[in-house]
Amino acid sequence: MRTRQMVAKRGSSKPMLLRRESRLRAVAEVVGASERTVWRWLEQAKATGRVEAPVRRGYAVSDGVWELLGEAGGMFRS
């Protein structure tokens, strides 16, 4: 990953980096995410070749776990 210092040393790349950062800032603002999150999305897209958000797997409590919680006297909501 390039840092600002690395790009700034090359001279001619500095304006391009600034334009890229301003576009990245604009995207982050529009989608309501941090700039770091947008960079992470870009890195994931580059690594996987996919631009869709990954499918999140939720956690579901099984009936057996509910039974154990009930037997243990745990406080829970169904």
Side-chain angles (χ1 to χ4, degrees):
M1 182 186 312
R2 292 188 198 183
T3 63
R4 290 180 186 178
Q5 293 81 14
M6 290 170 63
V7 175
K9 288 179 184 177
R10 295 183 182 170
S12 64
S13 298
K14 189 173 182 180
M16 184 179 80
L17 178 64
L18 294 176
R19 284 193 305 266
R20 185 183 332 169
E21 286 182 353
S22 63
R23 287 191 306 250
L24 183 100
R25 245 181 255 117
V27 168
E29 186 177 327
V30 168
V31 298
S34 71
E35 292 177 40
R36 180 65 202 129
T37 298
V38 175
W39 276 119
R40 189 173 53 249
W41 290 343
L42 291 170
E43 290 168 2
Q44 288 173 351
K46 186 176 180 181
T48 64
R50 297 179 51 143
V51 294
E52 299 86 15
V55 176
R56 291 183 149 200
R57 294 186 182 109
Y59 178 75
V61 179
S62 68
D63 291 336
V65 172
W66 283 118
E67 288 177 24
L68 287 173
L69 283 169
E71 290 171 8
M75 296 178 65
F76 59 90
R77 295 181 185 186
S78 57

